[in-house]
Amino acid sequence: MSANGGTKAIVAALAANLGIAVTKFIAFALTGSSSMLAESIHSVADSGNQGLLLLGGRRAKRQATPQHPFGYGRERYIYAFIVAIVLFSIGGLFALYEAYHKASDPHAITEWQWVPVVVLVAAIVMESFSFRTAIKESNLVRGKQSWVRFIRRAKAPELPVVLLEDFGALVGLVFALFGVGMTLITGDGMWDAAGTAMIGVLLVIIAITLAIETKSLLLGEGAEQSELDKIEQAVTSGPEVERIIHMKTLYLGPEELMVAAKIAVPAWETAQDLARDINAVEARIRREVPTARVIYLEPDIYSPAAERAGTGQAADTAVPEAVTSGGTQPADEVAGRPGS
């Protein structure tokens, strides 16, 4: 659902930004307003960003290869991070440069004075429809989370990116309308420069926010606590497993979670019974958490002594260490095999 909703929101934002960019460039050509130029570049950057998100989603669907055995799902995170860089450099820094340039040589808008106001109002209307689509699609997967938590914790990057871009575009249009309106009222071009600077600061803040959140996804995030609770319940709810010795999770992509766990099983089980029980546990995990598509379960015999020692393994089944005159050596080295 999140993938389809994200694509719909991206396409809506792309269509809106392409139309808005054309009208803004026309307004800039007629009036010479720096706010209009900054907003024009902003819309071009947003259009390019939405194209990058669509490309990332397409490339992430490639099948796994021997070189990339877990697939390409995290490529969506890479393209979202590139979006943050583009928004920071092309959108934010250009707007700040244009504000500095305008402040160095401020001039009023003397021709086609009505054009920028009409264009900005029309752009606000079009951008509002795009923002409404992003909100609607996000609500389908947001649940009861706050908007801040949704943006910070969402594993699919497209919806948070589009939400922040559309929000930034709307606020930026208001800043541009303020700068242009005050310039028309006072005849002082410094207001136009101030509006442009406000747009630049806004885009830099949004870009940094996106970069921080996407960086966390690139580094690798585990399952949410609610998902961990469901996985633990699925593992231990049947008679096959006595307890979880330890477990780790990692999102390989927005819709693909890897679960690796060492589980305590009864000591008297045969290999055939053990294989059947593990398959039953995996089926329960996938039923409770559909995104858990890659599951590795390692059976072991639980040992309270090992848990107290914090070794992460069962003492009764651990490979013993051999003691020599030179000290302690792993058993595999004593047997003539290199240690791991």
Side-chain angles (χ1 to χ4, degrees):
M1 182 185 297
S2 61
N4 293 335
T7 301
K8 184 176 181 180
I10 293 170
V11 172
L14 177 60
N17 279 310
L18 287 174
I20 292 170
V22 173
T23 57
K24 286 177 181 175
F25 271 119
I26 293 175
F28 164 69
L30 294 175
T31 64
S33 167
S34 65
S35 293
M36 293 307 305
L37 178 58
E39 275 298 304
S40 301
I41 299 300
H42 178 192
S43 293
V44 170
D46 280 353
S47 300
N49 288 341
Q50 278 117 37
L52 287 171
L53 292 175
L54 290 173
L55 178 62
R58 181 181 180 86
R59 291 181 61 84
K61 294 178 181 178
R62 289 178 295 166
Q63 295 296 318
T65 64
Q67 189 175 7
H68 298 91
F70 292 111
Y72 294 85
R74 295 176 78 174
E75 194 152 0
R76 288 164 66 180
Y77 301 151
I78 295 174
Y79 278 86
F81 190 76
I82 295 174
V83 163
I85 296 173
V86 171
L87 192 63
F88 177 83
S89 57
I90 298 181
L93 295 186
F94 178 83
L96 291 175
Y97 167 77
E98 183 59 25
Y100 170 77
H101 184 266
K102 181 73 175 186
S104 301
D105 182 25
H107 54 272
I109 301 174
T110 57
E111 298 180 347
W112 301 90
Q113 295 180 333
W114 57 272
V115 170
V117 176
V118 171
V119 167
L120 288 171
V121 171
I124 289 174
V125 173
M126 288 187 283
E127 198 66 61
S128 297
F129 281 109
S130 173
F131 192 37
R132 177 177 176 273
T133 300
I135 291 174
K136 182 179 178 181
E137 296 301 325
S138 297
N139 280 332
L140 296 176
V141 296
R142 182 170 66 96
K144 297 181 179 179
Q145 300 179 87
S146 67
W147 285 107
V148 173
R149 180 171 176 80
F150 172 70
I151 290 172
R152 293 193 61 185
R153 305 305 300 172
K155 305 305 179 185
E158 291 84 1
L159 284 173
V161 168
V162 173
L163 275 170
L164 285 176
E165 279 192 346
D166 285 352
F167 173 76
L170 274 174
V171 177
L173 287 168
V174 173
F175 287 165
L177 187 60
F178 168 78
V180 169
M182 291 301 296
T183 298
L184 292 175
I185 293 172
T186 64
D188 186 356
M190 287 299 296
W191 287 106
D192 194 16
T196 307
M198 292 163 67
I199 294 170
V201 172
L202 172 69
L203 294 181
V204 167
I205 292 174
I206 291 177
I208 292 174
T209 301
L210 283 176
I212 292 173
E213 299 306 325
T214 310
K215 173 192 170 186
S216 178
L217 293 170
L218 280 171
L219 290 175
E221 290 187 355
E224 295 292 320
Q225 187 59 51
S226 59
E227 295 172 317
L228 291 174
D229 293 340
K230 290 180 181 179
I231 294 172
E232 183 175 354
Q233 177 65 22
V235 173
T236 58
S237 61
E240 305 90 355
V241 178
E242 295 176 346
R243 64 188 298 156
I244 297 174
I245 298 175
H246 62 76
M247 179 175 67
K248 291 185 179 181
T249 61
L250 177 68
Y251 267 94
L252 303 174
E255 283 101 27
E256 188 172 21
L257 177 67
M258 182 177 70
V259 179
K262 176 172 283 193
I263 55 176
V265 298
W268 54 83
E269 280 201 334
T270 65
Q272 185 177 8
D273 291 337
L274 183 60
R276 183 180 61 249
D277 290 347
I278 287 178
N279 289 336
V281 173
E282 288 181 354
R284 287 203 301 269
I285 294 174
R286 291 191 172 96
R287 186 167 57 249
E288 292 297 321
V289 183
T291 54
R293 300 179 183 176
V294 181
I295 302 174
Y296 298 107
L297 298 179
E298 179 185 351
D300 207 337
I301 309 301
Y302 175 69
S303 167
E307 184 178 38
R308 288 194 298 270
T311 60
Q313 60 187 0
D316 294 339
T317 59
V319 177
E321 293 184 340
V323 179
T324 65
S325 59
T328 302
Q329 255 183 311
D332 54 1
E333 291 186 9
V334 175
R337 298 188 302 273
S340 55

